[in-house]
Each structure stands twice: as C-alpha cells, then as structure tokens.
Amino acid sequence: MQEQLSSLLAKASAELQSIRSRPELEAAKARYVGPNGELTALMKQMGSVAKELRPAMGKLVNESKARLQALLDSRLRAIEESELEARLGPPIDPTLPAPDEGPGTFHPLTLVREEVCRILRKVGFVVADGPEVETEFYCFDALNTPPDHPARDPQDTFYFPPGARFGNVSRHRPDERYLLRTHTSSVQVRTMLKGPPPIRIVSPGRVYRRDTSDASHSANFHQVECLYVDRNVTVRDLKALLDYLFAALMGPGTKTRFRPHYFGYTEPSFEVDLSARHLPKVNKEWIEIGGCGIVDPEVFRAVGYDPEVWTGYAFGMGLERLAMTLYGIDDIRVFYQNDLRLLRQFTGTI
Ligand code: DAH
C-alpha cells in the first residue's frame, strides 16, 4: 500500500504540472480525491490492513492526502494567477507618457461664468468669493430678511443640524444655524465686512435650495452676484450696467427692462427681463433673468457703513438660466449629467 501511495503521488504531481484550466483541475480532483477517486479507493482498503499496521498506515494515508491537497491548491493558485495576467494584458510601462486624449472643452456653465466675469472686469469689477456653508447672519439677517421670511423656511433652505460647527465665521450666535447658502447675496455681506467702500465685486458660485429636480429646477445651481457701493449711486447706474452686460453677452440688440419687485436687501427692487426676440431658440419677447435694486440702508447698517454717506446697487442672476437661454438648452438637468455628446458641442475657449 505504501508503494501504491507513493506512486500515486508521483503520478499526480506529474499530471498536475500540465494542467492549465479550472475544468481540467476539477476533473483531476475527481480522479484522485472524489468519491470514485484513486486515493479514495486506497483509503477504502484500510479496512483490510492488519490491525497492528493500521496506525502507521493511517498516518501515511493522511500525509499523502495532505500532500495531494497541497498539490491541488498550488495548481489552483497558478491557474488564478494566469487568469489575472490574461485579464490585465501585457505588462505596461508606467513611466511612459499617457496616450494623448486631445484637449478637453469647458463646461457651458464655466464658459458663461467666465464670460460674465470678463465683461464685468472690464468696467472695474473684481471677482469675490464666499463659502457655500453660511450662517443665518450672512445669508439672511444682514440682508434685512426677517426670521419669518418664507425663504428661511426649512422647506426651502438646507439647514445643518443644530450641533454642527464650521470654522468659517468669526461671528456666530450660539443659537444660530448653519445652512447651505440659498443665494450668492451672502458674499455682499462678507465683502462689505472686510473693508470700507468703494466696492465693485462680481461673485459667481454654487447655491442650494430645497427644490425637487425637474426641467427648470435643481436643488443645487449657480448664481452670479454683483455689488457696487460708492457715493451717489442711482438706478440709472444699475440699468446702464445691466444694459452693458447683456449687450456684451448676447449682442448689441439686447435690451433689458425692470419690473418692480420686493427683496429685503434692496429698495427699490426690480426683476430684470431680457429682450429675447433676437435669440433664435427663444420664442418669447421677454425672459426673466435676475433680481436687482438699490442697496437697502438696513444692509449698510448691518455691516457698519453709514447709509447717509454710501449708496449702492446689487444684482443677482441664475447662471443656468442664462446658459440655457444663450445655448438653447431646454432642460437644466443636462448641465449635471456630464454627457460627452453635450459637452463636446462646447469647444469654446475662455
Ligand atoms: N438673491 C436673489 C435671488 O436669489 C437675487 C437678487 C435679487 C440678488 C436682488 C440681488 C438683488 O443682489 O439686489 O433670487
């Protein structure tokens, strides 16, 4: 029996060497250790071995079984490795330069944002930045928006849980909530608190509202804010800026019109419409594009400016709306889907 075992092992070891695939390995396994396998058959002969030889024989059989199992295991590992190699393909040289994908393109929102900033820089505006996580002070209180204003409702604004703390504000009342800014108007407050007038800023950025997403709404979208503070600023200056901005953006025929509206931070306040007749993809006479007005004295008081000395105008608009109008896009959601078929159409440079 001892001889049978060692010749079985020798045979198995030679045979397993040439096995390259899982089915072959499974078949070999069945031949040796399956219910009708050769080793199984030898083990069954244990019953006929003389009693005094049985312990030694038993040990031998177990050792043979373990060696056979080790051979099978190592074969399996070799097969697994070669399968992995086949999947990975030929070895690569990571030091070689990446294959050239060609230049990328800018996202339509980036193109419009940069164009708006470029046009406003020409007339002295500088780009200002502000955080997306704000407190109630910067987003509402300092902008003369009282606690019971509907915009502050948790149904409209994303608030952080009461315990949340962020390090981006120097002033924070213990009971004051953090939130995701609902508009870029908060940057007006941050800028004015940094220093005295005159101020002329443009501030693009992300804003958040509790909106259900559809063709014209998204819980996260983008705005551009403008603030100008100086002496003797009038509605006429505001109108002139907007006429200049939209003519530069959309062509010389573009007109703007103001409709009276209410915003807590401006008085008087207006909604701004754009004449859209000359835009091929828009078949309305006017489209609403943003809100604006003359900075309310309460806002100046909140930031420590003397409202008897300083005047200003402010303006805010949605970037998606503008990009949709400019490019004839009818669904806001395409901006966030990163579909290359859309993005490849925007080959413009900034
Ligand atoms: N913050 C307003 C909004 O999100 C837009 C706006 C209106 C901005 C009037 C202004 C303004 O600066 O003066 O709808």
Side-chain angles (χ1 to χ4, degrees), residues 155-158 208-214 216-221:
Q155 296 229 354
D156 288 316
T157 299
F158 290 107
Y208 302 82
R209 290 186 195 172
R210 270 185 184 266
D211 271 331
T212 306
S213 162
D214 63 24
S216 51
H217 293 86
S218 163
N220 167 210
F221 60 104

Side-chain angles (χ1 to χ4, degrees), residues 16 28 40 48 67 98 110 120 143 148 181 195 207 234 279 310 342:
L16 285 172
T40 319
S48 56
R67 295 227 337 252
T110 307
L120 290 172
L143 290 166
D148 58 356
R181 68 178 177 188
V207 300
T234 65
L279 292 170
W310 300 111
L342 175 96

Side-chain angles (χ1 to χ4, degrees), residues 96-112:
L96 288 174
D100 191 1
E101 285 286 328
T105 62
F106 288 103
H107 191 279
L109 291 176
T110 307
L111 288 173
V112 177

Side-chain angles (χ1 to χ4, degrees), residues 30-299:
R31 266 198 315 279
Y32 291 107
V33 291
N36 300 315
E38 292 182 41
L39 183 68
T40 319
L42 281 178
M43 285 164 83
K44 282 182 190 153
Q45 290 176 21
M46 280 294 286
S48 56
V49 171
K51 219 174 183 181
E52 60 282 9
L53 291 178
R54 252 187 233 165
M57 270 302 156
K59 194 165 167 236
L60 211 58
V61 168
N62 280 339
E63 278 169 8
S64 305
K65 201 180 163 195
R67 295 227 337 252
L68 193 57
Q69 190 57 50
L71 285 173
L72 289 165
D73 288 348
S74 85
R75 209 55 229 154
L76 179 63
R77 275 195 298 280
I79 290 173
E80 279 171 352
E81 259 168 44
S82 67
E83 280 175 351
L84 184 66
E85 263 170 37
R87 252 193 299 152
L88 291 176
I92 55 154
D93 180 353
T95 62
L96 288 174
D100 191 1
E101 285 286 328
T105 62
F106 288 103
H107 191 279
L109 291 176
T110 307
L111 288 173
V112 177
R113 182 193 71 207
E114 289 309 303
E115 184 62 5
V116 169
C117 291
R118 190 185 68 81
I119 293 167
L120 290 172
R121 272 201 205 99
K122 280 195 187 173
V123 286
F125 283 78
V126 293
V127 175
D129 204 10
E132 291 166 28
V133 173
E134 272 298 1
T135 59
E136 294 179 276
F137 173 79
Y138 293 97
C139 200
F140 299 127
D141 296 322
L143 290 166
N144 194 32
T145 308
D148 58 356
H149 191 281
R152 299 180 69 149
D153 194 293
Q155 296 229 354
D156 288 316
T157 299
F158 290 107
Y159 287 97
F160 284 86
R165 286 285 172 276
F166 297 87
N168 63 354
V169 284
S170 51
R171 48 194 308 158
H172 182 246
R173 292 194 319 270
D175 60 331
E176 195 181 358
R177 286 174 296 178
Y178 283 93
L179 48 85
L180 290 175
R181 68 178 177 188
T182 56
H183 53 186
T184 42
S185 305
S186 52
V187 187
Q188 292 186 27
V189 180
R190 286 193 172 259
T191 308
M192 288 190 280
L193 282 171
K194 273 190 202 140
I199 281 177
R200 212 188 289 242
I201 57 146
V202 49
S203 185
R206 272 176 199 277
V207 300
Y208 302 82
R209 290 186 195 172
R210 270 185 184 266
D211 271 331
T212 306
S213 162
D214 63 24
S216 51
H217 293 86
S218 163
N220 167 210
F221 60 104
H222 300 75
Q223 287 188 334
V224 183
E225 191 83 13
C226 283
L227 173 70
Y228 174 42
V229 183
D230 210 328
R231 291 170 210 270
N232 307 318
V233 178
T234 65
V235 173
R236 194 189 168 104
D237 300 315
L238 170 59
K239 182 75 165 54
L241 178 85
L242 294 179
D243 283 348
Y244 158 72
L245 169 63
F246 290 112
L249 201 59
M250 298 182 158
T254 317
K255 281 187 267 177
T256 57
R257 117 183 142 174
F258 285 3
R259 273 180 297 105
H261 196 71
Y262 174 80
F263 297 104
Y265 28 99
T266 39
E267 178 59 37
S269 302
F270 310 97
E271 279 190 328
V272 185
D273 293 343
L274 213 56
S275 76
R277 257 171 311 183
H278 66 294
L279 292 170
K281 303 225 169 75
V282 182
N283 55 9
K284 278 193 232 162
E285 194 175 353
W286 294 95
I287 47 161
E288 184 197 320
I289 201 72
C292 67
I294 295 296
V295 179
D296 194 291
E298 281 307 314
V299 177

